[in-house]
Amino acid sequence: MSPARMRHFTQLLASVLCVSVVSTSPAFAAVIAASSVDAPVAPVKIFLPAMGYLALNSNAASLAPISLTAPGLPIAKPQVADPLTASAFIPTLKAEPFSVSETAAPASLTGGAGSAAASPADNAFLDDLQHKAFSYFWEQTDPKTGLTKDRAGNFKDDDYHVASMAATGFGLTALVIAESRGWIPREQAYARALACLRHLRYRQAHVHGWFHHFVDASTGEPVSSSEVSSIDTALLLAGALSVGRHFAGTEVERLAEEIYGRVDFPWMMTDGDAKPDERTLSMGWTPQGFIKARWDGYSEHQILYVLGLGSPTHPLPPEAWRAWRRPDGPVTEASGPLFTHQYSQLWLDLRGRLDDGRDYFAQSVQATLLQRDAAIKAQGEFSTYGPSCWGWTACDGPEGYRAYGAYPGRPEHDGTIAPAAAGGSAAFTPGLSVEALRFMKERYGERIWGRYGFSDAFNADPRWKERFNADGVWRSPDVIGIDQGAILLAVENSRSERVWKTFMDSEHVRRALERAELGRKAIEKN
């Protein structure tokens, strides 16, 4: 399994290029330390448009780049697009309707586990839940850069200014949902997407097409302790390609394709050609070299490899898909926090597809059910838990950000519940997930329900009473972008399959699935 996310910054020396290391991702930041990087041998191309140059550093680990004004070194001017205006919206005919029959899953998998027709009350609740989650992305995204804040206050204003590339990817996908549901006009959705993609294409710093994990929301300036993150770039690309397909035939789609085509996947796989025989991807890059930890076991990285296999310009070889380890048995317990099962499948529709006999969708259903069962068994120990109050993932906790989960043989929990765990599994277990979310809201109400819906996490167990901050419960004061996104996208897929249909309509994704040999299993007929 992959290392789980942590929210503590690991300070490393920032290079004179202001491109450095961070720790929060859907990956362990513990892997990012001075001892965890290898210096690349091949030159590293770094585009810093805010400073107006393209730097070539042949020894990033030294933190002493080759002179930026060395004779013969070209200085690339930042490319600036035309100012965004209301007239930038280009109405076009939608792409050909997506054919459900092309990706239809066996009927036994279509609705996941615990599936049932939604009641009017359920639908009203889900409408409110999704709309509040979308409001986060609409209000907490800078209108000029299109970059979405990593987190925001749920009960009062905050002074946070850091955006994350993963949250921005969720925000781009949120536009697809919002415009389709009529929450915002098509012109507004298009304008917001265009502003973001223009910024990412022409102004945002990148390294071989890969983006920093954390940046300033209003300028795009990389946070001084932020790594260039492979998984966060992948989640951003998933959002960019989704909104591109939604606005097919427009500048939005063209920019999304260009941003995707710029990413050098083999560079991240071979550590800049230093490891030519390597077939797994590094978790990222810093001025001191590539992060040693790799995406080499079952985790949320499937979307990263699929995007790499489907790249039209810098594709991964097919054997890269086979290079990461699969557990000998089911992957149900391979990764403790539920986000490791959820994130890739927020975009990838893997229902009915087999990977050498492994059914990742079905096993993610089972992983969710296993967590619920574990919470029920632990309700005597922690009073927050119960049949309708379950779900562990990486989230805020009474003692800080923590990767909660049903790890094999060593469950990691303390009474804290993350609504994004049940919500992010809504496409796996729609009935049980909605039941849990409605229970949480009805039982705890405004104590955990704020401007953007659920707080990131809460804990009502008496052992934490000294940390209670809302009438008998500890609650996170914030919501986190990637957790809001998991709820919004998963619920949408459970209701309309809209995100799946949009993303899977990409020719790049279809090509990647063919190269990975993710075939459909035969549908059993009675």
Side-chain angles (χ1 to χ4, degrees), residues 502-516:
T502 303
F503 185 72
M504 299 293 285
D505 193 40
S506 168
E507 64 177 315
H508 309 303
V509 176
R510 294 196 296 268
R511 178 170 59 248
L513 295 179
E514 291 176 0
R515 300 184 75 207

Side-chain angles (χ1 to χ4, degrees), residues 275-345:
K275 300 177 179 178
D277 296 328
E278 179 62 62
R279 288 297 178 266
T280 64
L281 276 71
S282 169
M283 289 191 177
W285 179 89
T286 81
Q288 295 171 314
F290 286 87
I291 297 171
K292 286 185 177 179
R294 309 192 74 82
W295 295 109
D296 57 5
Y298 176 82
S299 68
E300 72 274 22
H301 66 52
Q302 291 169 319
I303 190 78
L304 171 63
Y305 281 88
V306 166
L307 289 168
L309 290 173
S311 171
T313 52
H314 306 288
L316 294 175
E319 55 266 30
W321 179 258
R322 296 290 164 205
W324 51 274
R325 299 185 307 277
R326 279 75 166 168
D328 293 334
V331 299
T332 300
E333 297 184 24
S335 299
L338 277 178
F339 80 86
T340 58
H341 294 276
Q342 295 167 350
Y343 277 13
S344 286
Q345 294 186 66

Side-chain angles (χ1 to χ4, degrees), residues 156-194:
K156 61 181 181 180
D157 292 338
D158 62 76
D159 59 358
Y160 304 141
H161 65 277
V162 173
S164 80
M165 286 299 163
T168 301
F170 279 106
L172 289 170
T173 310
L175 295 172
V176 176
I177 298 170
E179 190 272 322
S180 299
R181 288 196 169 271
W183 298 335
I184 56 174
R186 185 171 175 83
E187 291 82 358
Q188 288 187 12
Y190 183 87
R192 177 62 66 84
L194 185 61

Side-chain angles (χ1 to χ4, degrees), residues 7-8 151 395-404 414 416 464 467 474:
R7 197 50 73 162
H8 305 295
R151 64 168 62 216
C395 63
D396 287 342
E399 295 183 316
Y401 197 81
R402 187 172 171 185
Y404 298 102
D414 59 11
T416 298
W464 296 107
R467 296 179 184 267
W474 170 86

